[in-house]
Amino acid sequence: MTDLVFENVRLIDPEAGTEAPGRLLVRDGHIAGRDKAGAEGKPENAEIIDGAGAVLSPGLIDMRVAIGEPGFEYRETIASCARAAVSGGVTTIAALPNSKPAIDEPALVRLLRSRGEEMGLVTILPYGALTKGCNGEEMAELGMLREAGAVAFTDGIRAIADTKRMRQLLAYAKGIDALVVQHPEDPSLAKGGAATAGALATRMGLPQIPAAAEAILIARDLRLAEMTGARLHFGHVSTGEGLALIRQAKAKGQAITCDTAPPYFALNEEAIGAFRTYAKLSPPLRCEEDRLAVCAALADGTIDAIASDHAPWDADDKRLPFAQASAGGTGLTTLLGVGLSLVHDRHLTLPQLIALMTSRPASLLGSDAGTLNDGASADLCLFDPDAEWVVEAGSQPGRAQNTPFDGRRLKGRVRGTWKAGRQVYDGSPA
Amino acid sequence: MAETLTRRHHLLGLEGMSAAEITPFLDLAANYALLSRSRTGPRDALRGRTVINMFFEDSTRTRTSFELAGKRLGADVINMTVATSSVNKGETLLDTAATLNAMRCDLLVVRHGQSGAPALLAQKVEASVVNAGDGMHEHPTQALLDALTIKRHLGTLSGLTVAICGDVGHSRVARSNIHLLTAMGSKVRLVGPPTLVPAAMASLGDVSIHHDMESGLRDADVVMTLRLQRERMGAGLVPSAREFFRFYGVDSRRLALAKPGALVMHPGPMNRGVEIASDVADSAQSVIQEQVEMGVAVRMAVLDRLSRMRTAS
């Protein structure tokens, strides 16, 4: 493999929280050194990539991605998901277990891992099902799933409803030091709902889910985590009240973490106006006050990671009356572009944002990706933080097109993505 | 309780008993073990006494062991198996006590699914009550027979490290063993997943809790495994038998972490390939069959001593 030298780039070191102009050398698929701008000399026969002042960061780690394969290939396959990922600078994805069959057998964990390796576009880190079939009842074989390569355990899009079962799951997970990821929404309050309770949903005549459904479940689970000492992570947290509880638990020293997704800091419930089903998400989009609370929690460190919450659906799943349409939106391609709005709006510095999408989720999932340190796999994302583009459903890379950001102008565009030193995306539209 | 034992002549549990109170049972049992082997019975220590085995839960092995113990001492032994489906168990139990008093029974051996049931009976019957296992509370004769087996092999009950593995939280065997072994000056480790070995178990005395077998078994003198009931899987405490065996089963690789020649024990009946590997259960280190033999000797000693205390008072 020819050596690669990235020149004229701004290097982001997410762990150190720094950003500096410089060069990066890649040898045999691994990062082999960095130096500051103006340094001379380079290896013979090296391929030079001129970044033209763009930013070079570790490839992004997206810790919440639903794929569709196995079982729902009409929505998205592993291959189409990988294409969407690299177009967004994402080189590692953590895959939710809500496939068909659910990822509740060690062989299925190995299948996902090896399909990722075969394609060579993204590393797939599978979540293991927390309960068999992700049905919230019988405990899955957490120990054996972990031995097969499951990075954490969750029922994905479903919360564990039963309090006693959740307690037992956390206790068992604690025994094998595994991370449990919970969808923070009280299932009985959420059942049948399509939009956050409030004036808008009332006016639209939609079945409602109170925003407190999130805080109610988080409060219960924080208490259970305290009883059991387990490591607990809440996915796609979206309300100020839920975040306040997590902030409090962290202050007490509990091993609690959480992530949020771009829709929850970049959109509010107004996006569902005119019954736009692409903006029907789970949890539902919240009021403006909650959106601002998510921005504040990102800024103060309460939120540990930003994940796309990529949820592919076919057009037919969305071309339905709002309450009947499937909930969820794609997010891999737009993750970085929407994320950068936090930097442009000065909620975060650029290295802070990149850390939330690289080193922070890497440490939660026990992955060694997400760094520019020597010896790391050369998973890289080259992007121009100021280049503007318009998101268009229908012309997105990958099979699923149900983006809640359809029509939005984003500032920040991926110019190229490298996986283990090999270019897997060249910045061109799909 | 020690008080209960000495003043009221019952053996309801080992909690609170001192080494000085436990040792005479073990010494007498050791004698009976020798006598049983030399087949020099039946003796007549309990001649004219009536022992009633009252089992509210099925248990062939414990009931048979008590029955044999009573018969070897010359007692009249009656087995009563009581249906547990009665509507109001509390009332039934006390009615039963009245019946027993009328029959002038001397020693009453009780197995019951509810913790504290033998203690309730003991308040009402005139007989001496021996707890043959109550709910998740105590199983004192099992711990005594375990102790006798250990002492025969290792020569002592103090300064040992005993690992009790598996479904500790639901186990009356584990609780009685914890009380006895710590009273005798040994260290107890409780080993298993947090769903089966809750943190609160640490409050039972000089015990440590281990959620991985490797640290739990390392350098142990005795490895005691407990039966994993099938219903623990349905209740969501353990995902499957195969995962339990994979992470918490006693196999030869894990046993190798214990001291060379460490004793392997199991109160029975065993689930081979769930909590214990077949080759370990059948290995030279296994004293599981001897536990059964010591069971009869220990129960002879318990019946004999309680009977003598009655006579003395």
Side-chain angles (χ1 to χ4, degrees), chain A residues 209-290:
Chain A
I209 305 173
E214 180 175 284
I216 287 168
L217 199 81
I218 288 176
R220 180 197 80 171
D221 286 356
L222 286 174
R223 194 67 192 80
L224 294 175
E226 198 174 17
M227 281 166 69
T228 55
R231 290 194 288 140
L232 177 62
H233 178 93
F234 295 104
H236 51 205
V237 181
S238 59
T239 68
E241 204 187 343
L243 288 162
L245 290 169
I246 293 168
R247 189 178 285 121
Q248 219 170 49
K250 287 184 160 200
K252 281 201 311 194
Q254 270 189 269
I256 301 297
T257 52
C258 69
D259 67 73
T260 192
Y264 303 112
F265 58 76
L267 297 173
N268 64 24
E269 60 187 349
E270 301 293 335
I272 67 169
F275 300 98
R276 284 182 63 237
T277 58
Y278 278 12
K280 181 181 176 184
L281 306 177
S282 172
L285 287 168
R286 307 299 192 183
C287 65
E288 177 64 8
E289 202 176 29
D290 279 328

Side-chain angles (χ1 to χ4, degrees), chain A residues 40-336:
Chain A
E40 293 294 323
K42 56 181 170 272
E44 303 236 331
N45 303 323
E47 183 189 336
I48 308 296
I49 293 157
D50 183 356
V55 174
L56 188 66
S57 80
L60 306 184
I61 299 175
D62 186 342
M63 71 176 292
R64 191 176 180 92
V65 176
I67 297 182
E69 185 177 343
F72 304 103
E73 287 82 355
Y74 76 96
R75 296 181 200 156
E76 185 132 88
T77 61
I78 294 172
S80 76
C81 174
R83 284 200 304 281
V86 296
S87 78
V90 175
T91 52
T92 299
I93 60 175
L96 294 175
N98 310 93
S99 48
K100 197 175 174 181
I103 307 303
D104 60 3
E105 276 287 329
L108 292 167
V109 173
R110 291 194 190 95
L111 172 81
L112 282 182
R113 281 210 172 246
S114 57
R115 289 282 284 116
E117 282 161 23
E118 276 162 33
M119 281 185 309
L121 296 179
V122 294
T123 298
I124 300 177
L125 304 176
Y127 283 108
L130 199 48
T131 66
K132 287 170 191 163
C134 292
N135 63 12
E137 287 167 19
E138 272 181 274
M139 189 192 299
E141 294 171 315
L142 307 189
M144 298 182 83
L145 290 168
R146 200 188 40 185
E147 282 189 329
V151 290
F153 299 93
T154 180
D155 273 1
I157 58 173
R158 292 189 204 135
I160 303 292
D162 188 278
T163 308
K164 184 171 177 183
R165 289 207 185 271
M166 186 63 180
R167 178 195 175 178
Q168 289 168 344
L169 290 163
L170 287 170
Y172 193 84
K174 162 73 180 172
I176 59 169
D177 192 29
L179 177 70
V180 171
V181 176
Q182 175 75 301
H183 167 69
E185 190 175 49
D186 181 90
S188 65
L189 285 173
K191 194 173 179 195
T196 298
L200 180 76
T202 303
R203 195 173 76 234
M204 292 172 79
L206 292 173
Q208 307 181 11
I209 305 173
E214 180 175 284
I216 287 168
L217 199 81
I218 288 176
R220 180 197 80 171
D221 286 356
L222 286 174
R223 194 67 192 80
L224 294 175
E226 198 174 17
M227 281 166 69
T228 55
R231 290 194 288 140
L232 177 62
H233 178 93
F234 295 104
H236 51 205
V237 181
S238 59
T239 68
E241 204 187 343
L243 288 162
L245 290 169
I246 293 168
R247 189 178 285 121
Q248 219 170 49
K250 287 184 160 200
K252 281 201 311 194
Q254 270 189 269
I256 301 297
T257 52
C258 69
D259 67 73
T260 192
Y264 303 112
F265 58 76
L267 297 173
N268 64 24
E269 60 187 349
E270 301 293 335
I272 67 169
F275 300 98
R276 284 182 63 237
T277 58
Y278 278 12
K280 181 181 176 184
L281 306 177
S282 172
L285 287 168
R286 307 299 192 183
C287 65
E288 177 64 8
E289 202 176 29
D290 279 328
R291 184 189 76 81
L292 293 171
V294 171
C295 293
L298 283 160
D300 73 12
T302 301
I303 296 174
D304 301 272
I306 295 173
S308 74
D309 203 10
H310 185 77
W313 290 102
D314 186 72
D316 287 346
D317 298 318
K318 287 285 190 182
R319 239 182 256 130
L320 288 167
F322 193 91
Q324 290 167 9
S326 298
T330 58
L332 283 161
T333 306
T334 51
L335 174 64
L336 182 61

Side-chain angles (χ1 to χ4, degrees), chain B residues 182-193:
Chain B
T182 54
M184 300 305 287
S186 285
K187 283 195 161 57
V188 176
R189 296 181 187 160
L190 306 177
V191 194

